[in-house]
Amino acid sequence: MSVIDKAKRKLIGINIPRDELAIRIAQPCIGMHPPKGVAASKALDDMDAMGTMPGMAYPIGESFRRAADAAVIYFHECIKAGTQPS
């Protein structure tokens, strides 16, 4: 089980869907809103299909998925420390 999966399971029992969190992060960052009815996974895959932007190590959708993973780990750290994320 990955660190991300462990953090999700311990995060007060709340399931945080990776791709949905990634889309929620993408929306304010780049103003991207998938068309109504398009699943978060499909929208991120479509972003990946655009390729890697100059200066980026990963395709856009994968970058937001990684941001979602980082957010879950951070939430877990805050809960473990007994603080609220700001």
Side-chain angles (χ1 to χ4, degrees), residues 19-32:
D19 287 355
E20 185 62 35
L21 180 57
I23 281 294
R24 302 278 179 114
I25 292 169
Q27 288 173 343
C29 289
I30 61 173
M32 181 292 240

Side-chain angles (χ1 to χ4, degrees), residues 1-22:
M1 183 178 299
S2 74
V3 173
I4 302 298
D5 291 333
K6 287 179 184 176
K8 285 180 183 178
R9 288 182 187 267
K10 290 182 180 179
L11 188 63
I12 59 174
I14 298 171
N15 179 33
I16 301 173
R18 181 187 196 210
D19 287 355
E20 185 62 35
L21 180 57

Side-chain angles (χ1 to χ4, degrees), residues 11-63:
L11 188 63
I12 59 174
I14 298 171
N15 179 33
I16 301 173
R18 181 187 196 210
D19 287 355
E20 185 62 35
L21 180 57
I23 281 294
R24 302 278 179 114
I25 292 169
Q27 288 173 343
C29 289
I30 61 173
M32 181 292 240
H33 296 273
K36 190 170 183 118
V38 173
S41 297
K42 169 80 168 101
L44 292 165
D45 290 345
D46 289 347
M47 294 166 92
D48 281 344
M50 291 188 285
T52 303
M53 302 297 288
M56 293 180 68
Y58 304 98
I60 299 168
E62 180 60 23
S63 293

Side-chain angles (χ1 to χ4, degrees), residues 69-79 84-86:
D69 291 345
V72 168
I73 290 171
Y74 175 67
F75 295 156
H76 175 68
E77 289 169 359
C78 289
I79 290 168
Q84 291 182 336
S86 57

